[in-house]
């Protein structure tokens, strides 16, 4: 990767950055989406991207780097085309997440935050995917694959390697590339927001039971502090 962006790419990034900054009362508040914008171009928070964000926001490179190195969604080296995150937090672990992780790392041949030689897959061991009602879960570029097994997890990576579309359990109709999703995280809509299932039966079961039984949220007493 070259040290600097071409004039055409830099001009395009600056136009996009201006659109992002316009959403905030203070320009420095745009630092996080701008880092996602850089990842949509380079696949990670590259040194040249850090320099560009610092220049656009009038910050030092150290200030931008401090944010880029603090949050785990910002990558410090090139990410694969598909980020495959296996949840191994408590519930997923006891439901089979640890087994999935062990078998998948051996099957793919890389470990945590490592990328396959073809650049297709980066594996990530995640603490929580916030999908406990579907444990064990995997996320591919932040899209949910619920109720996984070692076999189904291996099929996901096989399909990625074969260049096939992969279809999450909920959300968009198919998983888009890491760079494409990073542009969405930067704040640019991709037109897929209304696709697929938003909440599945396991998430809605409690609401359904409450409605059947007429349960409601307790209301505060009149005059009580809100």
């Amino acid at each position: 990767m070259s040290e600097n962006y071409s004039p055409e790419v830099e001009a395009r990034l600056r136009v996009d950055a201006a659109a992002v900054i316009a959403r905030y009362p203070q320009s420095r508040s745009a630092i996080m989406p701008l880092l996602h914008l850089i990842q949509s171009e380079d696949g990670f928070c590259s040194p040249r991207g850090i320099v560009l964000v610092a220049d656009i926001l009038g910050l030092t490179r150290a200030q931008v780097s401090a944010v880029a190195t603090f949050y785990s969604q910002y990558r410090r080296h090139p990410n694969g085309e598909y980020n495959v995150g296996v949840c191994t937090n408590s519930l997923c672990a006891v439901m089979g997440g640890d087994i999935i992780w062990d078998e998948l790392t051996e099957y793919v041949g890389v470990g945590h935050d490592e990328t396959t030689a073809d650049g297709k897959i980066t594996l990530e061991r995640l603490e929580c995917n916030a999908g406990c009602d579907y444990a064990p879960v995997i996320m591919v570029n932040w899209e949910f694959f619920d109720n996984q097994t070692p076999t189904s997890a291996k099929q996901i990576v096989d399909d990625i390697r074969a260049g096939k579309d992969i279809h999450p359990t909920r959300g968009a109709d198919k998983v888009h590339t890491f760079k494409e999703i990073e542009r969405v995280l930067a704040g640019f809509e991709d037109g897929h927001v209304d696709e697929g299932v938003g909440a599945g039966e396991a998430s809605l079961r409690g609401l359904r039971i409450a409605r059947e039984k007429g349960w409601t949220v307790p209301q505060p007493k009149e005059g009580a502090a809100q």
Side-chain angles (χ1 to χ4, degrees):
M1 185 174 292
S2 64
E3 290 187 12
N4 300 302
Y5 293 108
S6 69
E8 295 78 14
V9 171
E10 181 172 335
R12 171 168 51 79
L13 289 172
R14 285 183 178 274
V15 169
D16 286 343
V20 173
I21 292 169
R23 302 170 186 154
Y24 296 89
Q26 297 183 14
S27 62
R28 69 178 296 156
S29 298
I31 185 170
M32 296 181 72
L34 291 190
L35 289 172
H36 284 296
L37 180 65
I38 293 303
Q39 293 199 143
S40 76
E41 185 68 33
D42 291 338
F44 74 118
C45 287
S46 61
R48 66 182 184 179
I50 298 291
V51 170
L52 181 61
V53 171
D55 182 64
I56 290 172
L57 296 180
L59 301 173
T60 66
R61 282 177 283 178
Q63 288 173 310
V64 178
S65 293
V67 176
T69 56
F70 183 82
Y71 295 100
S72 62
Q73 272 193 312
Y74 298 127
R75 309 308 194 196
R76 302 179 70 176
H77 47 79
N79 204 82
E81 190 175 352
Y82 291 88
N83 194 84
V84 178
V86 181
C87 183
T88 57
N89 209 337
S90 302
L91 184 56
C92 278
V94 300
M95 294 294 286
D98 282 343
I99 297 173
I100 291 173
W101 173 258
D102 290 342
E103 292 199 23
L104 200 58
T105 53
E106 182 177 358
Y107 188 69
V108 177
V110 297
H112 172 70
D113 197 29
E114 295 178 349
T115 302
T116 54
D118 60 6
K120 283 284 186 181
I121 298 169
T122 294
L123 281 189
E124 185 176 16
R125 185 168 186 156
L126 295 176
E127 278 302 303
C128 184
N129 278 338
C132 302
D133 38 358
Y134 298 99
V137 294
I138 288 175
M139 290 193 89
V140 182
N141 292 348
W142 322 124
E143 299 288 0
F144 282 103
F145 288 77
D146 302 324
N147 302 313
Q148 291 297 293
T149 67
T151 299
S152 65
K154 292 173 187 176
Q155 186 62 56
I156 291 171
V157 299
D158 283 346
D159 288 346
I160 290 172
R161 286 167 159 170
K164 297 179 180 178
D165 287 341
I166 54 173
H167 306 283
T169 310
R170 293 171 281 141
D173 289 340
K174 72 173 186 176
V175 177
H176 297 268
T177 67
F178 180 80
K179 289 184 177 181
E180 289 171 333
I181 296 301
E182 283 300 302
R183 184 166 175 81
V184 176
L185 293 175
F188 297 94
E189 294 289 346
D190 63 358
H192 302 292
V193 66
D194 294 322
E195 292 178 355
V197 177
E201 171 59 23
S203 299
L204 299 175
R205 190 170 300 152
L207 177 62
R208 176 173 53 78
I209 293 172
R211 286 175 173 171
E212 289 173 354
K213 295 182 177 296
W215 295 340
T216 59
V217 177
Q219 299 300 312
K221 294 180 180 179
E222 187 175 348
Q226 299 295 313

